[in-house]
Structure formats: structure tokens, C-alpha cells
Amino acid sequence: MVKPAATTAEYKVIGTRPIRHDGTDKVIGKAIYGADVRPAGALVGKVLRSPHAHARIVSIDTSKAEAMEGVGAVVTGRDLPRSNPDQVVDLVEEADQARFMRDNTLASNKVLYRGHAVAAVAAVNAGVAEEALEQIDVIYEVLPPVLDVLDAMKPGAPLLHESLTTESMGEPTGRVSNIATHIRFQKGEPEVGFGEADLVIERELRTATVHQGYIEPQNAVAQWNPDGQVTVWCSTQGAFGVQKQLASILKHPLSKIRVVPMEIGGGFGGKLSAFLEPVAARLAQKSGRVVKMTMSRPEVFEGTGPTPGSFLRIKMGAKKNGKLTAAKAWMAYESGAFPGCAIEPGGISMFACYDIPHAQVDGYDVVVNKPKSRAYRAPGATQSTFATETVIDELARALKIDPLDFRLRNASVEGTRRIDGLVFQAIGCKETLETVRDHPGLQNRPSGKNQGRGIAVGFWRNGGGQSSVVASVCDDGRVDLISGSVDIGGTRASVAMQFAEVLGLRAEDINPTVGDTRSIGYTDNTAGSRTTFTTGLAAYQAAHDVKAQMIQRAARLWDVDENEVAFRQGTFFKTDDPSVSLSFRQLAGQLSKTGGPVIGSASAQPKSGIGGSFVTNVCDVEVDPETGKVKVLRFVVIQDAGRAIHPSYVENQMQGGAVQGIGWALNEEYFFNEDGQMANSSFLDYRMPTAYDLPPIETIIVEVPSPGHPFGVRGVGEASIAPPPAAVANAVFDAVGTRIYQLPLRPDRIWKALQSKAVAEAAG
């Protein structure tokens, strides 16, 4: 369902639901994914990974493996050049120091998590490669691991990096610790605001480490030619991002590295980083052969990048009339083995949904002996939203105000100042809440025994970045459109539709493809909910470039000045005699007579007006008090899309984020033993929700156009994962009257809480 903006313009293409351009290949199995690349004569690469969560590498002896028949090459951390300690590689949603990227690719002097890559082998087949791994002799000095964020912050905690010093609010402290960074956002005077409050609630909450859960594992095929030209085929969210990482880790010229992005079987932020690509490239260089590598599922869980686990302390105050006066949060996120987690966007998202006059957020990026955390759909926002929306719900109930009405009284609107200083332009936070209030289908609450309803609101700021597009007009009037943005959720279509709209063409008239690093200009990763916005903006500009050139060609045909040619709804005509006209297709057929091919191009790099997206969830549940199991009865997602270019894909993003958020709420977590070993590194034991666990996810699209885009687009891929855990937790409280402050809401935690509640009630 789409609830359009009051001033919705009439569009020919935008807002329709054409069949996706890549749909046929994917349905019939002809789409080529990373693991489908099979060069003749390729060696198979395998990785030796640490069995310890924390240990010093005393020595590595690879001589036996190198001597084995069928082994083409063996590499260790010694084969990677030392990195510039000050170099930072920006991947849009992630920014890593080069030295840490290098050490995560192949460990140097220490291993910092179980699954940390130590060495790799390329051999004639997988069997020989695995046998060769067994012949590599690594001697470790095992060190005590630190697995919890609060433990890691204590004085005297085992240090992961002896050279890591804390930076506090942008200033170096010189203090060696596991705390990499301390940030602070503040507006107003929180203590003044708390003094004005009639009610103050303070809580502590925890969230677990969670994986993105993409179906396709990481993979890479690498070729290193004698002239130094390197080609890598892989499944990635950004070919240029992989290119930058390879250039940094291998210290190889960027211009000599070509990255070819294949179709991608899910990423959600987890495929921004290069894990196998540098290893495969170095093995290819040493062996002189093409090398292919693919991770197993345990390697994906233990050797890639999940979300940070977190500890949050939050305090909020409100007056009796339901107006918030102050808020304060203390956040500690587990960055994993290397610094650089999503603490900043988590802090920005913490109070973004509410107009709070006095607020402060302190955030800490802390290293622990777990895999380096990576982006996962609105990175950092799900954790902070869980904390805020839990306390908001408690405040509303304590003040005897309907939780929806409480949120409406405090919702951010145009002009609200975000805690990091940005002032919102037109936004749809309040509109999503009003949609819940006014929707007739949401008036009836669940009334069964142990049933309840929860509401939560979430936000993601969205990104801009850089994008490039090239368009070539074909003789038959169709257009070949190349962009540098990897298509994860239908962006081929959303970008092509914006291009088509400008030229009065059908979506089917555009042939969108994803280019590699040699065929298109620099384009940032498909991340940060930036692609439909920024690459769409580049497509819009490229379409206007094509239109201008086509007007020139029409002018030549008619022997008139360009100013005497007009264009409307796919037709060129003379301004003084509209009966003289040519359709886009007709004019395209005559390009050879007027100067040859028409090629339009554009690069976009918006700096402002990007606009965030807000989403409200309504969740109904039923709790079994005998087991603590939660059944989700109904789940509704209401999200501001700005302008829904392809409503079906917007709905898919909303549904996908909700499903992942429900899994985060109820089931999903990394379970580590005391030695730092993950005990559930398979889809059998790592419990993601299936169709049996979920009701149909209902969607309502709200459109409050973004002022920074010609079509009003907002990115929608990430905000939808922020509020589901809080919505589920609030619904559980509504159903059984007990709150759980730790994710996931496992049956054992709920059952124990219910037992404690029963004991307390019996005692008086």
C-alpha cells in the first residue's frame, strides 16, 4: 500500500511496477555469481585459520606444504607489505586503517579471534589444498581472551593491541587501552532538562553479536599477469571499494587493478570489505596461475564481519504532559578484533526520532577478541533504537499516555535539530505515526490471553557518496545504461526508471548493466541507502545530457537553431510548428545522419539535501508463559520513502528489514564459549527466522519527498531494520507485563523473567 504525498506529480514511469531487468536470468539460473566463475586451469585456494581467540604467533613453518606435489603457492602475513599506519580507506559505511585491514587479511604477530586468517594455500584441487593446510606448522603462545565490551574496558584487561591508544572527542589521549575511540554528541544542557522532568527513567540494555545472514558466501577469483595487471572477480557491494582495499593491502598501483563485480547473493553491508580478494591475488602472483577461493559457512560466520554486540545505558526524562525534557545515553560497542565500529551512526540515530531540547550521547568503540565488526543494514542504529524505544515505551506507560500518542507529541519534524547538529529538512517521522493512528486496519488491538502490541520508531540518516553513469542511445531507440553501482535490491530498475522518466521512455526501453572498474567512472559502494538516491541522480543528469544532444540532432535535421526545438513526453518538435515532430525512437534511427552515436554521462556527488528515512513498526505477539516462546501474530511496517520509484522494491526492502529485525529480536546471536570459540557457526545452529516463524509482513509506504532530489527520493534499504527488536520487546511487555533488556528475547530469558515476576507477586 502506498500513501502518496499530497502534491504527487503525474509520472509516466516512476511509481509503476515493471518487471526487473535482471529477473529472467536470475529466475532461470543464468545469472553469474562469484562462485560461478570457473577459469580453465585455476588453482583452488584455502585458508588456515586460528583455533585460538587470542594468541601470539611464535613461528610459522610452511616448508612442508610448499614441498607438496600439486601445491602452487603458500602465503602468510609476511607476504603482505607493511601498511602506512596513518592511511585510512573509506568504504562509505566503513572506514578502516590500512594496517588493520592488512592484519585482518592475514595475521602478522598475533591472532585476535578464532577464525583469524593465518596462512593460505593454492593447489590443484580442494583436497590437496586442505592437506597442505594441515602441513603448515604454527606455534602459538595462547593469551587470555576478552569477549565482553565492559570487561575489555576495565583497567588491567588483556590488551589486543599494545600500540592502540584512545582518542577522546577527536583528541589523542596517549592512553593504551582497548578503547579505540570516545565520541560525544550534545545539545542543550541535559542536567537542566532532567531538573525540569516530572519522571526520569534510566535503564541498562545489551544486544548480542549478529550476522547479516546472506546466503552466498564470500568468494574471489584472481589473476595476476606478468606485466602486473591484476583482475579480480568477486561478489561485492562495490567494485571500486575492493579496488581501493587491494591497492592499499598489496601496495599495488590502483590503475593496474581491475575488479569485476558479479551478481551478489545478499550482502546487507557484510560484503563491503575484502576478505579473500587480497589473499587470492597474492596466491595468483606467487603461483603464476589463476586462483579461485570460496568460503565455507563456518568461515563466513567466524572469519567475516558481524554486527557489534553492545552495552547501553540510557536515561530519559519527561513532564506529566508527555513532553520529553532530556535524554542521556552511554554506549559501548564491540568493534571486534580491530577498531572502527558503527558507534557514530549509532549515536546519531539514538534520539533522532524525537525533538528533545537537552540531550547527550557518549559512545565508545572497544576492541574484543571477536571477528572485526562490519556494517549490517543501518549499522549501529538497531542497538541504539532498542534502547531508546524501550525507555520511551516505559515513560509513556508510567505517565498513562498511549505509547503512540506519546511518540506523536515528541516526534521530530522539519526544523528539529539532530543531536549531531544537523537540522532536519522535510521528513516523514510524524507522518508514519499519524498513518498508524488513522489507519482503520490498525484500530483493533490483540485481545487474547498473553497477547500484546508494541510500537517502535526508527531512523537511518542515508548516504550521498559518488556515482557515475554512462548512457548510449541505440538505433532502435533503446538506451544502454552503465552504472558503477552493484545491484543488491533492484537498483538496476530504480536507476533505469529515473533515466526513462526524463526522456519519456518506458522502463523496458533501458538496458541497465553494472560496470567494472575499467568500464565506468568511480562509484562508491552500494551502501548507506545511497544508490537509488545518488546513482539515480546521476542517471537523471545523464538523461538530461542525452536530451540536450538529441535536441541538437533534431535541430540539424530540421536545419533550425537548437532553441527552436522542444521536447515533451518522449517527442521532439519544432516550437513554431508542433506538427513537425519526431519520437525519441525515430530520431535515434537517424543519428548516423546527424553526427554519429549519442553518449550521455554524468557524475553525482550530493553534499546536502540527502534526507534520512523514518519507519514505524506495529507488532502483535503472543507469549507462551510455559515455555517463554514468542509468536509474532502481525507485523506492520510504515516507512517514509520520499518517492517510491518502484513500490514493489520499496516494499521488499521494508519486509526484508523487518524479517531480519525480528530475527535479531528473538533468535539470532553469536554464542561464544569461555575460550572465544563460536559454538553455533552454521545455519542449523544460528537460528534465523523462516516462513514458519513469521506472519505476512504488511507494508504502508508514506511519501514525504526529499527536497534534495528531483524526484524526492529517499533511500529505504536500512531504516527498516532499526525498530523491529524494540517493537517486539514492547509487544512482549504488553502481553505478559515483564520487560527484557537483553537481545535476543530468548525463551529462557522470558521464562525466567516470568518466574521472577510470579515469585515477586506471590511475596506481596
Side-chain angles (χ1 to χ4, degrees):
M1 173 183 175
V2 181
K3 183 182 179 183
T7 57
T8 298
E10 290 298 323
Y11 292 117
K12 178 179 178 181
V13 179
I14 289 172
T16 64
R17 301 174 187 251
I19 295 173
R20 63 189 296 163
H21 299 79
D22 54 335
T24 299
D25 282 351
K26 289 181 176 176
V27 168
I28 67 177
K30 287 192 174 181
I32 305 299
Y33 293 82
D36 295 326
V37 179
R38 298 184 177 91
L43 299 179
V44 176
K46 293 288 182 180
V47 176
L48 179 69
R49 298 183 180 275
S50 168
H52 307 294
H54 194 194
R56 200 173 308 279
I57 299 174
V58 178
S59 64
I60 302 178
D61 184 355
T62 61
S63 58
K64 293 180 182 178
E66 291 169 326
M68 285 181 59
E69 184 177 353
V71 171
V74 179
V75 296
T76 68
R78 294 189 296 267
D79 294 285
L80 300 180
R82 305 305 300 180
S83 300
N84 179 350
D86 298 322
Q87 183 187 4
V88 175
V89 179
D90 185 7
L91 302 177
V92 180
E93 283 195 338
E94 299 175 345
D96 283 354
Q97 292 184 45
R99 63 187 175 118
F100 292 136
M101 285 197 316
R102 174 200 180 278
D103 284 350
N104 197 33
T105 301
L106 286 171
S108 53
N109 64 322
K110 288 177 77 176
V111 291
L112 298 171
Y113 56 95
R114 179 188 165 90
H116 196 164
V118 174
V121 169
V124 292
N125 58 50
V128 173
E130 288 169 356
E131 288 180 16
L133 292 182
E134 295 177 359
Q135 297 302 311
I136 298 175
D137 185 21
V138 185
I139 298 176
Y140 297 99
E141 175 193 348
V142 179
L143 303 171
V146 58
L147 302 171
D148 177 78
V149 67
L150 295 184
D151 291 338
M153 297 176 77
K154 293 177 181 176
L159 291 174
L160 275 71
H161 305 276
E162 287 79 3
S163 61
L164 180 64
T165 57
T166 303
E167 180 181 279
S168 181
M169 294 185 285
E171 297 295 331
T173 66
R175 185 174 64 253
V176 176
S177 78
N178 292 320
I179 303 171
T181 308
H182 165 223
I183 64 168
R184 174 175 290 174
F185 298 120
Q186 183 173 335
K187 68 174 185 176
E189 298 295 335
E191 296 311 316
V192 172
F194 285 123
E196 297 170 352
D198 296 310
L199 175 65
V200 175
I201 292 178
E202 184 171 7
R203 295 288 181 260
E204 293 182 351
L205 304 96
R206 282 184 175 269
T207 69
T209 302
V210 176
H211 199 271
Q212 297 86 350
Y214 39 80
I215 301 302
E216 178 201 33
Q218 270 81 358
N219 53 76
V221 174
Q223 175 179 293
W224 194 305
N225 289 342
D227 62 357
Q229 296 293 328
V230 180
T231 303
V232 172
W233 297 261
C234 59
S235 292
T236 175
Q237 291 179 232
F240 289 92
V242 172
Q243 184 190 45
K244 285 195 293 186
Q245 291 174 81
L246 287 167
S248 174
I249 294 170
L250 301 175
K251 284 196 173 180
H252 199 67
L254 193 77
S255 61
K256 289 192 172 185
I257 300 172
R258 177 191 177 204
V259 177
V260 184
M262 311 308 297
E263 296 293 348
I264 182 170
F268 313 111
K271 288 182 180 172
L272 299 173
S273 300
F275 295 101
L276 295 179
E277 293 89 342
V279 179
R282 190 58 90 207
L283 286 169
Q285 182 190 28
K286 289 190 74 172
S287 66
R289 303 268 294 275
V290 177
V291 173
K292 177 177 179 177
M293 306 183 76
T294 305
M295 284 191 182
S296 66
R297 186 59 55 184
E299 285 183 302
V300 171
F301 275 114
E302 298 181 14
T304 62
T307 68
S310 71
F311 175 89
L312 307 105
R313 185 182 300 114
I314 181 170
K315 178 181 178 182
M316 302 186 77
K319 293 183 178 181
K320 291 178 181 177
N321 64 3
K323 292 295 290 183
L324 292 166
T325 63
K328 204 169 184 179
W330 189 95
M331 312 161 55
Y333 281 15
E334 294 175 351
S335 191
F338 300 96
C341 70
I343 193 68
E344 180 184 354
I348 290 172
S349 300
M350 174 69 77
F351 301 129
C353 298
Y354 301 105
D355 189 353
I356 308 172
H358 305 281
Q360 179 178 310
V361 173
D362 284 279
Y364 295 86
D365 176 0
V366 184
V367 293
V368 295
N369 291 116
K370 296 180 180 179
K372 168 71 176 74
S373 74
R374 296 294 179 187
Y376 179 12
R377 211 170 189 160
T382 305
Q383 296 94 324
S384 58
T385 302
F386 173 57
T388 301
E389 290 299 300
T390 296
V391 175
I392 285 285
D393 210 64
E394 288 197 65
L395 283 169
R397 293 175 186 274
L399 293 169
K400 302 190 185 311
I401 300 173
D402 179 81
L404 176 61
D405 185 42
F406 186 89
R407 288 171 169 85
L408 274 167
R409 295 183 194 187
N410 295 283
S412 289
V413 295
E414 184 175 359
T416 297
R417 180 176 174 265
R418 214 167 65 186
I419 196 168
D420 61 322
L422 182 143
V423 176
F424 284 124
Q425 295 180 292
I427 55 172
C429 181
K430 192 172 184 180
E431 285 78 0
T432 65
L433 289 161
E434 290 173 337
T435 300
V436 176
R437 180 195 63 193
D438 300 336
H439 196 285
L442 293 172
Q443 303 309 308
N444 295 326
R445 297 171 55 85
S447 56
K449 188 176 182 181
N450 299 316
Q451 293 182 352
R453 168 166 291 181
I455 294 175
V457 188
F459 165 80
W460 182 247
R461 60 182 178 177
N462 292 349
Q466 305 174 59
S467 289
S468 299
V469 165
V470 172
S472 302
V473 180
C474 304
D475 289 347
D476 63 359
R478 294 173 69 89
V479 179
D480 293 332
L481 185 69
I482 304 175
S483 81
S485 293
V486 172
D487 185 348
I488 299 179
T491 51
R492 279 188 183 91
S494 66
V495 171
M497 290 170 70
Q498 293 176 71
F499 183 91
E501 187 66 56
V502 173
L503 296 173
L505 303 175
R506 303 174 305 158
E508 295 83 359
D509 293 329
I510 314 301
N511 303 317
T513 58
V514 178
D516 62 44
T517 55
R518 291 268 172 89
S519 62
I520 190 67
Y522 178 84
T523 299
D524 278 316
N525 293 326
T526 299
S529 293
R530 59 167 296 277
T531 305
T532 296
F533 182 92
T534 303
T535 309
L537 182 59
Y540 173 88
Q541 295 169 350
H544 277 282
D545 185 13
V546 168
K547 184 177 78 171
Q549 294 183 56
M550 295 289 277
I551 286 174
Q552 292 174 353
R553 301 307 179 85
R556 291 179 193 174
L557 279 175
W558 295 330
D559 195 23
V560 298
D561 189 84
E562 294 174 26
N563 296 327
E564 298 177 56
V565 179
F567 174 80
R568 184 169 60 247
Q569 295 180 347
T571 300
F572 301 87
F573 56 91
K574 292 177 67 176
T575 54
D576 61 353
D577 185 3
S579 65
V580 179
S581 64
L582 288 169
S583 70
F584 189 94
R585 182 185 294 264
Q586 289 170 331
L587 182 55
Q590 300 193 52
L591 292 181
S592 61
K593 301 177 183 178
T594 60
V598 165
I599 300 174
S601 63
S603 293
Q605 189 178 10
K607 296 295 187 181
S608 61
I610 296 165
S613 180
F614 291 85
V615 57
T616 295
N617 287 167
V618 179
C619 175
D620 295 344
V621 303
E622 180 176 279
V623 180
D624 183 349
E626 298 298 321
T627 64
K629 181 175 173 57
V630 177
K631 180 179 181 181
V632 180
L633 303 174
R634 186 181 188 188
F635 204 93
V636 187
V637 186
I638 306 95
Q639 184 167 354
D640 173 21
R643 184 81 68 195
I645 301 297
H646 193 305
S648 294
Y649 297 162
V650 173
E651 291 161 354
N652 290 346
Q653 292 292 336
M654 294 163 69
Q655 291 166 335
V659 169
Q660 290 178 315
I662 292 170
W664 197 323
L666 295 177
N667 306 107
E668 296 187 43
E669 65 177 322
Y670 272 44
F671 190 86
F672 292 94
N673 64 22
E674 62 183 13
D675 295 325
Q677 178 180 355
M678 185 180 178
N680 60 332
S681 57
S682 72
F683 278 149
L684 179 64
D685 298 313
Y686 182 89
R687 182 77 167 82
M688 295 198 306
T690 70
Y692 292 107
D693 303 306
L694 300 163
I697 307 296
E698 305 169 50
T699 59
I700 302 172
I701 300 172
V702 174
E703 293 186 318
V704 179
S706 169
H709 192 281
F711 296 132
V713 169
R714 296 182 193 276
V716 296
E718 294 181 87
S720 56
I721 202 173
V728 174
N730 291 338
V732 168
F733 173 81
D734 194 49
V736 295
T738 187
R739 286 198 184 273
I740 310 297
Y741 297 101
Q742 183 172 2
L743 295 181
L745 308 176
R746 295 191 322 230
D748 62 311
R749 287 178 177 150
I750 295 175
W751 184 84
K752 289 177 182 177
L754 290 174
Q755 295 302 304
S756 297
K757 178 188 173 189
V759 170
E761 289 175 348

